[in-house]
């Protein structure tokens, strides 16, 4: 039997608050139907399981919270700074420099880069290394589809991403809170994983400036700082690229930065998280709940070492 494995959160788990309470009463009935071998009504979501065995009640974070509580140091270090200050960012026209180990290095207009690629809607958990989390509906394309268009050469092993450097548009860059521009990177096989996405939208709308317009990386099994915003350059390399947070504090922010409840940050536990909008803290899940889809990428690696 072919069981399709859900990448994203079952739609039943992202119901608005009003229906959420009712759903809890329905779960038992849906489970009974499933046990009886019957197809439970899709609206109950019983035909799709959470990404891990652990029961999850992931409901969508209110759009207002996801777009007003942000980390985007190019606009300030306070959570409310990005929304307040990101109006100076001009997300169009936008180009992305593609270079390094690709068939044909070139500067792409963003719309040309994405033209014709399959659009995706994905609801992903989003777990910041600071131990807060959200559940966000993203729209965009698979990173692997963009990479296929760029045709990495056989020697390419990593992909590096760079954020815009422009203190006029990004006033936070007038202060050396990080070494600008912000940089991030993935191993190429991580980047090719179907979960990895380049988002252009969220909540069915164009992605707001404060969330990383016009193009932002989403890698839901990793801590949020890997999800680099406002990308202007994609470079393929054969060596592991340096990354902003790892440069700033290597003992606190690893290159891999996979969500791992058993490896604490030097200054706080990663076993639990505060879901924005909820009162009680939740248990953090291994690989943020995506172990089935990404765990094999790290076979043989010491996950304690590769924080
Ligand atoms: N360029 C850039 N990208 C960035 C950051 C940043 O400061 N600058 N912050 C990161 C961190 S720490 C997190 S948790 C997420 C936050 O994304 P959100 O504001 O959409 O929730 O963006 C990541 N991407
Ligand atoms: Mo973060």
């Amino acid at each position: 039997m072919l069981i399709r494995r859900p990448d994203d959160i079952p739609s039943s788990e992202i119901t608005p608050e009003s229906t959420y309470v009712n759903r809890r009463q329905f779960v038992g009935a849906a489970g009974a139907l499933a046990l009886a071998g019957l197809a439970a009504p899709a609206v109950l979501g019983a035909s799709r399981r959470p990404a891990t065995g652990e029961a999850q009640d992931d409901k969508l974070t209110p759009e207002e919270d996801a777009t007003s509580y942000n980390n985007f140091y190019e606009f300030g270090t306070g959570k409310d700074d990005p929304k307040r200050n990101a109006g100076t960012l001009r997300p169009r026209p936008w180009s992305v420099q593609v270079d390094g180990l690709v068939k044909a290095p070139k500067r792409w207009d963003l719309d040309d880069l994405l033209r014709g690629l399959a659009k995706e809607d994905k609801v992903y958990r989003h777990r910041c290394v600071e131990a807060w989390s959200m559940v966000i509906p993203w729209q965009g394309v698979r990173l692997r589809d963009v990479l296929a268009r760029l045709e990495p050469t056989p020697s390419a092993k990593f992909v590096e991403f760079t954020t815009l450097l422009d203190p006029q548009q990004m006033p936070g860059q007038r202060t050396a809170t990080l070494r600008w521009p912000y940089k991030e990177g993935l191993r190429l096989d991580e980047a090719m994983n179907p979960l990895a996405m380049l988002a252009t939208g969220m909540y069915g709308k164009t992605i707001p400036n404060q969330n990383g317009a016009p193009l932002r990386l989403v890698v839901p099994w990793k801590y949020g700082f890997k999800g680099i915003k406002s990308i202007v350059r994609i470079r393929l390399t054969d060596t592991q690229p340096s990354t902003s947070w790892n440069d700033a504090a290597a003992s606190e922010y690893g290159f891999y930065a996979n969500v791992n409840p058993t490896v604490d940050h030097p200054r706080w536990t990663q076993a639990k998280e505060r879901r924005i909008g909820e009162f009680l803290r939740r248990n953090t899940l291994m690989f943020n709940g995506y172990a089935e889809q990404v765990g094999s990428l790290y076979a043989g690696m010491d996950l304690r070492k590769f924080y």
Side-chain angles (χ1 to χ4, degrees), residues 66 69-74 126 128-129 132 134 136 138 163 178 180 182 202 210-211 216 224-229 245:
Y69 183 94
N70 299 102
N71 276 334
F72 200 169
Y73 278 22
E74 285 86 340
H126 170 46
C128 176
V129 74
W132 53 265
M134 298 188 186
I136 300 182
W138 301 103
T163 294
L178 285 170
W180 310 115
Y182 196 102
M202 58 194 287
Q210 63 269 29
N211 292 89
R216 173 263 170 84
F225 67 85
K226 297 294 292 182
I228 183 173
K229 297 176 168 183
W245 278 106

PDB file of all heavy atoms in Angstrom, residues 66 69-74 126 128-129 132 134 136 138 163 178 180 182 202 210-211 216 224-229 245, ligand 1:
ATOM      1  N   ALA A  66       2.329  36.836  13.049  1.00  0.00           N
ATOM      2  CA  ALA A  66       3.458  36.408  12.204  1.00  0.00           C
ATOM      3  C   ALA A  66       4.077  37.566  11.436  1.00  0.00           C
ATOM      4  O   ALA A  66       5.219  37.473  10.977  1.00  0.00           O
ATOM      5  CB  ALA A  66       3.002  35.317  11.238  1.00  0.00           C
ATOM      6  N   TYR A  69       5.717  40.285  14.805  1.00  0.00           N
ATOM      7  CA  TYR A  69       6.696  39.785  15.784  1.00  0.00           C
ATOM      8  C   TYR A  69       7.774  39.088  14.953  1.00  0.00           C
ATOM      9  O   TYR A  69       7.603  37.951  14.521  1.00  0.00           O
ATOM     10  CB  TYR A  69       5.997  38.814  16.731  1.00  0.00           C
ATOM     11  CG  TYR A  69       6.845  38.259  17.849  1.00  0.00           C
ATOM     12  CD1 TYR A  69       6.855  38.860  19.109  1.00  0.00           C
ATOM     13  CD2 TYR A  69       7.631  37.108  17.662  1.00  0.00           C
ATOM     14  CE1 TYR A  69       7.621  38.332  20.145  1.00  0.00           C
ATOM     15  CE2 TYR A  69       8.384  36.583  18.694  1.00  0.00           C
ATOM     16  CZ  TYR A  69       8.376  37.198  19.933  1.00  0.00           C
ATOM     17  OH  TYR A  69       9.129  36.676  20.964  1.00  0.00           O
ATOM     18  N   ASN A  70       8.843  39.808  14.656  1.00  0.00           N
ATOM     19  CA  ASN A  70       9.800  39.319  13.663  1.00  0.00           C
ATOM     20  C   ASN A  70      11.242  39.451  14.116  1.00  0.00           C
ATOM     21  O   ASN A  70      11.564  40.301  14.941  1.00  0.00           O
ATOM     22  CB  ASN A  70       9.660  40.125  12.346  1.00  0.00           C
ATOM     23  CG  ASN A  70       8.287  39.999  11.739  1.00  0.00           C
ATOM     24  OD1 ASN A  70       7.456  40.886  11.858  1.00  0.00           O
ATOM     25  ND2 ASN A  70       8.032  38.880  11.098  1.00  0.00           N
ATOM     26  N   ASN A  71      12.088  38.646  13.520  1.00  0.00           N
ATOM     27  CA  ASN A  71      13.534  38.851  13.573  1.00  0.00           C
ATOM     28  C   ASN A  71      14.001  39.236  12.175  1.00  0.00           C
ATOM     29  O   ASN A  71      13.845  38.447  11.228  1.00  0.00           O
ATOM     30  CB  ASN A  71      14.263  37.574  14.009  1.00  0.00           C
ATOM     31  CG  ASN A  71      14.304  37.413  15.518  1.00  0.00           C
ATOM     32  OD1 ASN A  71      14.238  38.393  16.256  1.00  0.00           O
ATOM     33  ND2 ASN A  71      14.428  36.180  15.984  1.00  0.00           N
ATOM     34  N   PHE A  72      14.534  40.437  12.064  1.00  0.00           N
ATOM     35  CA  PHE A  72      15.088  40.912  10.791  1.00  0.00           C
ATOM     36  C   PHE A  72      15.987  42.081  11.165  1.00  0.00           C
ATOM     37  O   PHE A  72      15.567  43.242  11.157  1.00  0.00           O
ATOM     38  CB  PHE A  72      13.958  41.336   9.835  1.00  0.00           C
ATOM     39  CG  PHE A  72      14.314  41.387   8.368  1.00  0.00           C
ATOM     40  CD1 PHE A  72      13.315  41.536   7.413  1.00  0.00           C
ATOM     41  CD2 PHE A  72      15.633  41.299   7.921  1.00  0.00           C
ATOM     42  CE1 PHE A  72      13.603  41.580   6.049  1.00  0.00           C
ATOM     43  CE2 PHE A  72      15.937  41.343   6.563  1.00  0.00           C
ATOM     44  CZ  PHE A  72      14.906  41.485   5.630  1.00  0.00           C
ATOM     45  N   TYR A  73      17.213  41.723  11.576  1.00  0.00           N
ATOM     46  CA  TYR A  73      18.099  42.699  12.204  1.00  0.00           C
ATOM     47  C   TYR A  73      18.479  43.860  11.279  1.00  0.00           C
ATOM     48  O   TYR A  73      18.914  44.904  11.750  1.00  0.00           O
ATOM     49  CB  TYR A  73      19.358  41.993  12.716  1.00  0.00           C
ATOM     50  CG  TYR A  73      19.176  41.319  14.068  1.00  0.00           C
ATOM     51  CD1 TYR A  73      17.915  40.969  14.547  1.00  0.00           C
ATOM     52  CD2 TYR A  73      20.278  41.032  14.868  1.00  0.00           C
ATOM     53  CE1 TYR A  73      17.762  40.352  15.769  1.00  0.00           C
ATOM     54  CE2 TYR A  73      20.132  40.413  16.105  1.00  0.00           C
ATOM     55  CZ  TYR A  73      18.870  40.076  16.548  1.00  0.00           C
ATOM     56  OH  TYR A  73      18.727  39.473  17.778  1.00  0.00           O
ATOM     57  N   GLU A  74      18.272  43.681   9.985  1.00  0.00           N
ATOM     58  CA  GLU A  74      18.516  44.784   9.048  1.00  0.00           C
ATOM     59  C   GLU A  74      17.569  45.956   9.317  1.00  0.00           C
ATOM     60  O   GLU A  74      17.790  47.070   8.826  1.00  0.00           O
ATOM     61  CB  GLU A  74      18.324  44.295   7.606  1.00  0.00           C
ATOM     62  CG  GLU A  74      19.465  43.428   7.091  1.00  0.00           C
ATOM     63  CD  GLU A  74      19.334  41.948   7.441  1.00  0.00           C
ATOM     64  OE1 GLU A  74      18.586  41.603   8.380  1.00  0.00           O
ATOM     65  OE2 GLU A  74      19.993  41.132   6.764  1.00  0.00           O
ATOM     66  N   HIS A 126       7.496  26.793  12.447  1.00  0.00           N
ATOM     67  CA  HIS A 126       8.626  27.731  12.335  1.00  0.00           C
ATOM     68  C   HIS A 126       9.167  27.890  13.750  1.00  0.00           C
ATOM     69  O   HIS A 126       8.460  28.377  14.630  1.00  0.00           O
ATOM     70  CB  HIS A 126       8.072  29.044  11.775  1.00  0.00           C
ATOM     71  CG  HIS A 126       8.971  30.230  11.776  1.00  0.00           C
ATOM     72  ND1 HIS A 126      10.274  30.208  11.351  1.00  0.00           N
ATOM     73  CD2 HIS A 126       8.724  31.524  12.127  1.00  0.00           C
ATOM     74  CE1 HIS A 126      10.793  31.436  11.450  1.00  0.00           C
ATOM     75  NE2 HIS A 126       9.869  32.241  11.923  1.00  0.00           N
ATOM     76  N   CYS A 128      12.122  29.286  16.117  1.00  0.00           N
ATOM     77  CA  CYS A 128      13.293  30.146  16.296  1.00  0.00           C
ATOM     78  C   CYS A 128      14.213  29.534  17.343  1.00  0.00           C
ATOM     79  O   CYS A 128      13.755  28.915  18.313  1.00  0.00           O
ATOM     80  CB  CYS A 128      12.866  31.544  16.721  1.00  0.00           C
ATOM     81  SG  CYS A 128      14.257  32.654  17.070  1.00  0.00           S
ATOM     82  N   VAL A 129      15.507  29.724  17.165  1.00  0.00           N
ATOM     83  CA  VAL A 129      16.499  29.233  18.128  1.00  0.00           C
ATOM     84  C   VAL A 129      16.271  29.865  19.508  1.00  0.00           C
ATOM     85  O   VAL A 129      16.690  29.313  20.516  1.00  0.00           O
ATOM     86  CB  VAL A 129      17.929  29.502  17.576  1.00  0.00           C
ATOM     87  CG1 VAL A 129      18.282  30.983  17.664  1.00  0.00           C
ATOM     88  CG2 VAL A 129      18.977  28.655  18.283  1.00  0.00           C
ATOM     89  N   TRP A 132      10.863  30.332  20.609  1.00  0.00           N
ATOM     90  CA  TRP A 132       9.448  30.607  20.305  1.00  0.00           C
ATOM     91  C   TRP A 132       9.149  29.952  18.955  1.00  0.00           C
ATOM     92  O   TRP A 132      10.067  29.655  18.175  1.00  0.00           O
ATOM     93  CB  TRP A 132       9.133  32.111  20.287  1.00  0.00           C
ATOM     94  CG  TRP A 132       9.995  32.964  19.408  1.00  0.00           C
ATOM     95  CD1 TRP A 132      11.112  33.661  19.795  1.00  0.00           C
ATOM     96  CD2 TRP A 132       9.830  33.211  18.004  1.00  0.00           C
ATOM     97  NE1 TRP A 132      11.649  34.319  18.707  1.00  0.00           N
ATOM     98  CE2 TRP A 132      10.881  34.072  17.596  1.00  0.00           C
ATOM     99  CE3 TRP A 132       8.902  32.813  17.048  1.00  0.00           C
ATOM    100  CZ2 TRP A 132      11.034  34.527  16.284  1.00  0.00           C
ATOM    101  CZ3 TRP A 132       9.048  33.264  15.735  1.00  0.00           C
ATOM    102  CH2 TRP A 132      10.110  34.117  15.368  1.00  0.00           C
ATOM    103  N   MET A 134       5.952  29.355  15.647  1.00  0.00           N
ATOM    104  CA  MET A 134       4.711  29.739  14.977  1.00  0.00           C
ATOM    105  C   MET A 134       4.347  28.633  13.986  1.00  0.00           C
ATOM    106  O   MET A 134       5.115  27.688  13.788  1.00  0.00           O
ATOM    107  CB  MET A 134       4.900  31.047  14.190  1.00  0.00           C
ATOM    108  CG  MET A 134       5.261  32.255  15.030  1.00  0.00           C
ATOM    109  SD  MET A 134       5.227  33.754  14.007  1.00  0.00           S
ATOM    110  CE  MET A 134       5.869  34.950  15.176  1.00  0.00           C
ATOM    111  N   ILE A 136       2.994  28.697  10.023  1.00  0.00           N
ATOM    112  CA  ILE A 136       2.818  29.704   8.975  1.00  0.00           C
ATOM    113  C   ILE A 136       2.468  29.059   7.639  1.00  0.00           C
ATOM    114  O   ILE A 136       3.111  28.086   7.229  1.00  0.00           O
ATOM    115  CB  ILE A 136       4.105  30.551   8.836  1.00  0.00           C
ATOM    116  CG1 ILE A 136       4.401  31.249  10.170  1.00  0.00           C
ATOM    117  CG2 ILE A 136       3.989  31.559   7.693  1.00  0.00           C
ATOM    118  CD1 ILE A 136       5.608  32.140  10.159  1.00  0.00           C
ATOM    119  N   TRP A 138       2.875  29.232   3.905  1.00  0.00           N
ATOM    120  CA  TRP A 138       3.761  29.895   2.931  1.00  0.00           C
ATOM    121  C   TRP A 138       3.298  29.614   1.513  1.00  0.00           C
ATOM    122  O   TRP A 138       2.751  28.541   1.235  1.00  0.00           O
ATOM    123  CB  TRP A 138       5.190  29.352   3.042  1.00  0.00           C
ATOM    124  CG  TRP A 138       5.848  29.499   4.368  1.00  0.00           C
ATOM    125  CD1 TRP A 138       6.038  28.521   5.314  1.00  0.00           C
ATOM    126  CD2 TRP A 138       6.443  30.685   4.917  1.00  0.00           C
ATOM    127  NE1 TRP A 138       6.716  29.049   6.398  1.00  0.00           N
ATOM    128  CE2 TRP A 138       6.975  30.356   6.182  1.00  0.00           C
ATOM    129  CE3 TRP A 138       6.579  32.003   4.453  1.00  0.00           C
ATOM    130  CZ2 TRP A 138       7.621  31.286   6.998  1.00  0.00           C
ATOM    131  CZ3 TRP A 138       7.220  32.922   5.256  1.00  0.00           C
ATOM    132  CH2 TRP A 138       7.738  32.568   6.509  1.00  0.00           C
ATOM    133  N   THR A 163      21.696  38.154   1.703  1.00  0.00           N
ATOM    134  CA  THR A 163      20.646  39.180   1.771  1.00  0.00           C
ATOM    135  C   THR A 163      21.159  40.484   1.156  1.00  0.00           C
ATOM    136  O   THR A 163      22.372  40.734   1.115  1.00  0.00           O
ATOM    137  CB  THR A 163      20.261  39.414   3.254  1.00  0.00           C
ATOM    138  OG1 THR A 163      19.650  38.232   3.768  1.00  0.00           O
ATOM    139  CG2 THR A 163      19.302  40.583   3.432  1.00  0.00           C
ATOM    140  N   LEU A 178      25.410  42.647  13.217  1.00  0.00           N
ATOM    141  CA  LEU A 178      25.967  41.450  12.572  1.00  0.00           C
ATOM    142  C   LEU A 178      26.930  41.969  11.507  1.00  0.00           C
ATOM    143  O   LEU A 178      26.927  43.156  11.174  1.00  0.00           O
ATOM    144  CB  LEU A 178      24.865  40.619  11.898  1.00  0.00           C
ATOM    145  CG  LEU A 178      23.938  39.795  12.779  1.00  0.00           C
ATOM    146  CD1 LEU A 178      22.780  39.240  11.943  1.00  0.00           C
ATOM    147  CD2 LEU A 178      24.687  38.649  13.455  1.00  0.00           C
ATOM    148  N   TRP A 180      27.393  42.523   8.016  1.00  0.00           N
ATOM    149  CA  TRP A 180      26.505  42.571   6.844  1.00  0.00           C
ATOM    150  C   TRP A 180      27.279  42.305   5.560  1.00  0.00           C
ATOM    151  O   TRP A 180      28.443  42.639   5.500  1.00  0.00           O
ATOM    152  CB  TRP A 180      25.812  43.945   6.765  1.00  0.00           C
ATOM    153  CG  TRP A 180      25.184  44.379   8.036  1.00  0.00           C
ATOM    154  CD1 TRP A 180      25.532  45.451   8.816  1.00  0.00           C
ATOM    155  CD2 TRP A 180      24.068  43.761   8.700  1.00  0.00           C
ATOM    156  NE1 TRP A 180      24.720  45.525   9.918  1.00  0.00           N
ATOM    157  CE2 TRP A 180      23.810  44.506   9.870  1.00  0.00           C
ATOM    158  CE3 TRP A 180      23.257  42.647   8.407  1.00  0.00           C
ATOM    159  CZ2 TRP A 180      22.785  44.179  10.757  1.00  0.00           C
ATOM    160  CZ3 TRP A 180      22.246  42.328   9.290  1.00  0.00           C
ATOM    161  CH2 TRP A 180      22.022  43.085  10.448  1.00  0.00           C
ATOM    162  N   TYR A 182      23.833  39.742   5.633  1.00  0.00           N
ATOM    163  CA  TYR A 182      23.443  38.460   6.234  1.00  0.00           C
ATOM    164  C   TYR A 182      23.674  37.349   5.209  1.00  0.00           C
ATOM    165  O   TYR A 182      23.332  37.492   4.032  1.00  0.00           O
ATOM    166  CB  TYR A 182      21.965  38.533   6.588  1.00  0.00           C
ATOM    167  CG  TYR A 182      21.423  37.484   7.553  1.00  0.00           C
ATOM    168  CD1 TYR A 182      21.200  37.818   8.881  1.00  0.00           C
ATOM    169  CD2 TYR A 182      21.046  36.217   7.117  1.00  0.00           C
ATOM    170  CE1 TYR A 182      20.632  36.884   9.772  1.00  0.00           C
ATOM    171  CE2 TYR A 182      20.485  35.289   7.991  1.00  0.00           C
ATOM    172  CZ  TYR A 182      20.285  35.625   9.317  1.00  0.00           C
ATOM    173  OH  TYR A 182      19.717  34.720  10.181  1.00  0.00           O
ATOM    174  N   MET A 202       2.900  34.649   1.948  1.00  0.00           N
ATOM    175  CA  MET A 202       2.412  33.979   3.153  1.00  0.00           C
ATOM    176  C   MET A 202       0.974  34.411   3.401  1.00  0.00           C
ATOM    177  O   MET A 202       0.570  35.493   2.983  1.00  0.00           O
ATOM    178  CB  MET A 202       3.320  34.250   4.367  1.00  0.00           C
ATOM    179  CG  MET A 202       3.507  35.692   4.746  1.00  0.00           C
ATOM    180  SD  MET A 202       4.873  35.986   5.918  1.00  0.00           S
ATOM    181  CE  MET A 202       4.197  35.356   7.454  1.00  0.00           C
ATOM    182  N   GLN A 210       8.704  42.860   6.122  1.00  0.00           N
ATOM    183  CA  GLN A 210       9.298  42.442   7.401  1.00  0.00           C
ATOM    184  C   GLN A 210       9.512  40.937   7.487  1.00  0.00           C
ATOM    185  O   GLN A 210      10.268  40.458   8.326  1.00  0.00           O
ATOM    186  CB  GLN A 210       8.452  42.937   8.591  1.00  0.00           C
ATOM    187  CG  GLN A 210       7.041  42.381   8.669  1.00  0.00           C
ATOM    188  CD  GLN A 210       6.017  43.242   7.960  1.00  0.00           C
ATOM    189  OE1 GLN A 210       6.322  43.931   6.987  1.00  0.00           O
ATOM    190  NE2 GLN A 210       4.776  43.208   8.447  1.00  0.00           N
ATOM    191  N   ASN A 211       8.852  40.172   6.627  1.00  0.00           N
ATOM    192  CA  ASN A 211       9.038  38.714   6.625  1.00  0.00           C
ATOM    193  C   ASN A 211      10.027  38.255   5.551  1.00  0.00           C
ATOM    194  O   ASN A 211      10.230  37.048   5.385  1.00  0.00           O
ATOM    195  CB  ASN A 211       7.696  38.012   6.469  1.00  0.00           C
ATOM    196  CG  ASN A 211       6.814  38.192   7.695  1.00  0.00           C
ATOM    197  OD1 ASN A 211       6.060  39.163   7.772  1.00  0.00           O
ATOM    198  ND2 ASN A 211       6.933  37.310   8.669  1.00  0.00           N
ATOM    199  N   ARG A 216      12.478  34.593   0.194  1.00  0.00           N
ATOM    200  CA  ARG A 216      13.005  34.205   1.490  1.00  0.00           C
ATOM    201  C   ARG A 216      13.060  32.677   1.596  1.00  0.00           C
ATOM    202  O   ARG A 216      12.184  31.993   1.091  1.00  0.00           O
ATOM    203  CB  ARG A 216      12.041  34.837   2.504  1.00  0.00           C
ATOM    204  CG  ARG A 216      12.166  34.549   3.907  1.00  0.00           C
ATOM    205  CD  ARG A 216      11.238  33.465   4.377  1.00  0.00           C
ATOM    206  NE  ARG A 216      11.605  33.105   5.721  1.00  0.00           N
ATOM    207  CZ  ARG A 216      11.194  33.755   6.813  1.00  0.00           C
ATOM    208  NH1 ARG A 216      10.324  34.711   6.727  1.00  0.00           N
ATOM    209  NH2 ARG A 216      11.637  33.379   7.986  1.00  0.00           N
ATOM    210  N   GLY A 224      15.095  28.991  12.912  1.00  0.00           N
ATOM    211  CA  GLY A 224      14.630  30.066  12.036  1.00  0.00           C
ATOM    212  C   GLY A 224      15.716  30.899  11.413  1.00  0.00           C
ATOM    213  O   GLY A 224      15.531  31.436  10.309  1.00  0.00           O
ATOM    214  N   PHE A 225      16.868  31.025  12.080  1.00  0.00           N
ATOM    215  CA  PHE A 225      17.896  31.911  11.510  1.00  0.00           C
ATOM    216  C   PHE A 225      18.449  31.396  10.187  1.00  0.00           C
ATOM    217  O   PHE A 225      19.053  32.158   9.428  1.00  0.00           O
ATOM    218  CB  PHE A 225      19.017  32.203  12.519  1.00  0.00           C
ATOM    219  CG  PHE A 225      19.894  31.026  12.910  1.00  0.00           C
ATOM    220  CD1 PHE A 225      20.986  30.669  12.138  1.00  0.00           C
ATOM    221  CD2 PHE A 225      19.633  30.317  14.081  1.00  0.00           C
ATOM    222  CE1 PHE A 225      21.811  29.614  12.513  1.00  0.00           C
ATOM    223  CE2 PHE A 225      20.452  29.261  14.465  1.00  0.00           C
ATOM    224  CZ  PHE A 225      21.531  28.903  13.680  1.00  0.00           C
ATOM    225  N   LYS A 226      18.227  30.091   9.893  1.00  0.00           N
ATOM    226  CA  LYS A 226      18.650  29.577   8.585  1.00  0.00           C
ATOM    227  C   LYS A 226      17.774  30.142   7.469  1.00  0.00           C
ATOM    228  O   LYS A 226      18.173  30.128   6.307  1.00  0.00           O
ATOM    229  CB  LYS A 226      18.577  28.047   8.557  1.00  0.00           C
ATOM    230  CG  LYS A 226      19.484  27.312   9.528  1.00  0.00           C
ATOM    231  CD  LYS A 226      20.955  27.475   9.257  1.00  0.00           C
ATOM    232  CE  LYS A 226      21.426  26.804   7.974  1.00  0.00           C
ATOM    233  NZ  LYS A 226      22.913  26.964   7.799  1.00  0.00           N
ATOM    234  N   GLY A 227      16.591  30.624   7.811  1.00  0.00           N
ATOM    235  CA  GLY A 227      15.627  31.089   6.814  1.00  0.00           C
ATOM    236  C   GLY A 227      15.910  32.520   6.385  1.00  0.00           C
ATOM    237  O   GLY A 227      15.176  33.453   6.721  1.00  0.00           O
ATOM    238  N   ILE A 228      16.944  32.664   5.613  1.00  0.00           N
ATOM    239  CA  ILE A 228      17.443  33.995   5.232  1.00  0.00           C
ATOM    240  C   ILE A 228      16.423  34.760   4.382  1.00  0.00           C
ATOM    241  O   ILE A 228      15.760  34.190   3.518  1.00  0.00           O
ATOM    242  CB  ILE A 228      18.807  33.850   4.516  1.00  0.00           C
ATOM    243  CG1 ILE A 228      19.393  35.220   4.157  1.00  0.00           C
ATOM    244  CG2 ILE A 228      18.689  32.941   3.294  1.00  0.00           C
ATOM    245  CD1 ILE A 228      20.816  35.134   3.598  1.00  0.00           C
ATOM    246  N   LYS A 229      16.335  36.050   4.661  1.00  0.00           N
ATOM    247  CA  LYS A 229      15.326  36.919   4.034  1.00  0.00           C
ATOM    248  C   LYS A 229      15.921  37.786   2.917  1.00  0.00           C
ATOM    249  O   LYS A 229      17.131  38.027   2.883  1.00  0.00           O
ATOM    250  CB  LYS A 229      14.725  37.831   5.105  1.00  0.00           C
ATOM    251  CG  LYS A 229      13.977  37.064   6.198  1.00  0.00           C
ATOM    252  CD  LYS A 229      13.474  37.990   7.290  1.00  0.00           C
ATOM    253  CE  LYS A 229      12.498  37.267   8.208  1.00  0.00           C
ATOM    254  NZ  LYS A 229      11.949  38.180   9.230  1.00  0.00           N
ATOM    255  N   TRP A 245      25.284  33.957  11.593  1.00  0.00           N
ATOM    256  CA  TRP A 245      25.170  33.684  13.027  1.00  0.00           C
ATOM    257  C   TRP A 245      26.291  32.779  13.508  1.00  0.00           C
ATOM    258  O   TRP A 245      26.750  32.892  14.642  1.00  0.00           O
ATOM    259  CB  TRP A 245      23.787  33.122  13.366  1.00  0.00           C
ATOM    260  CG  TRP A 245      22.790  34.230  13.499  1.00  0.00           C
ATOM    261  CD1 TRP A 245      21.809  34.565  12.623  1.00  0.00           C
ATOM    262  CD2 TRP A 245      22.737  35.190  14.563  1.00  0.00           C
ATOM    263  NE1 TRP A 245      21.135  35.678  13.070  1.00  0.00           N
ATOM    264  CE2 TRP A 245      21.678  36.072  14.258  1.00  0.00           C
ATOM    265  CE3 TRP A 245      23.462  35.393  15.730  1.00  0.00           C
ATOM    266  CZ2 TRP A 245      21.335  37.148  15.085  1.00  0.00           C
ATOM    267  CZ3 TRP A 245      23.121  36.460  16.563  1.00  0.00           C
ATOM    268  CH2 TRP A 245      22.076  37.321  16.234  1.00  0.00           C
TER     269      TRP A 245
HETATM  270  N1  LIG B   1      18.429  38.709   6.419  1.00  0.00           N
HETATM  271  C1  LIG B   1      17.943  38.206   7.559  1.00  0.00           C
HETATM  272  N2  LIG B   1      17.291  37.045   7.536  1.00  0.00           N
HETATM  273  C2  LIG B   1      16.798  36.522   8.681  1.00  0.00           C
HETATM  274  C3  LIG B   1      16.994  37.182   9.926  1.00  0.00           C
HETATM  275  C4  LIG B   1      17.683  38.426   9.910  1.00  0.00           C
HETATM  276  O1  LIG B   1      17.900  39.077  10.942  1.00  0.00           O
HETATM  277  N3  LIG B   1      18.135  38.909   8.707  1.00  0.00           N
HETATM  278  N4  LIG B   1      16.517  36.611  11.099  1.00  0.00           N
HETATM  279  C5  LIG B   1      16.342  35.152  11.077  1.00  0.00           C
HETATM  280  C6  LIG B   1      15.679  34.644  12.269  1.00  0.00           C
HETATM  281  S1  LIG B   1      16.595  34.568  13.699  1.00  0.00           S
HETATM  282  C7  LIG B   1      14.414  34.140  12.244  1.00  0.00           C
HETATM  283  S2  LIG B   1      13.716  33.375  13.595  1.00  0.00           S
HETATM  284  C8  LIG B   1      13.576  34.304  11.045  1.00  0.00           C
HETATM  285  C9  LIG B   1      12.337  35.073  11.438  1.00  0.00           C
HETATM  286  O2  LIG B   1      11.409  35.088  10.391  1.00  0.00           O
HETATM  287  P1  LIG B   1      10.003  35.775  10.609  1.00  0.00           P
HETATM  288  O3  LIG B   1      10.247  37.173  11.072  1.00  0.00           O
HETATM  289  O4  LIG B   1       9.326  35.717   9.276  1.00  0.00           O
HETATM  290  O5  LIG B   1       9.290  34.978  11.660  1.00  0.00           O
HETATM  291  O6  LIG B   1      14.237  34.996   9.986  1.00  0.00           O
HETATM  292  C10 LIG B   1      15.593  34.692   9.835  1.00  0.00           C
HETATM  293  N5  LIG B   1      16.113  35.340   8.647  1.00  0.00           N
END
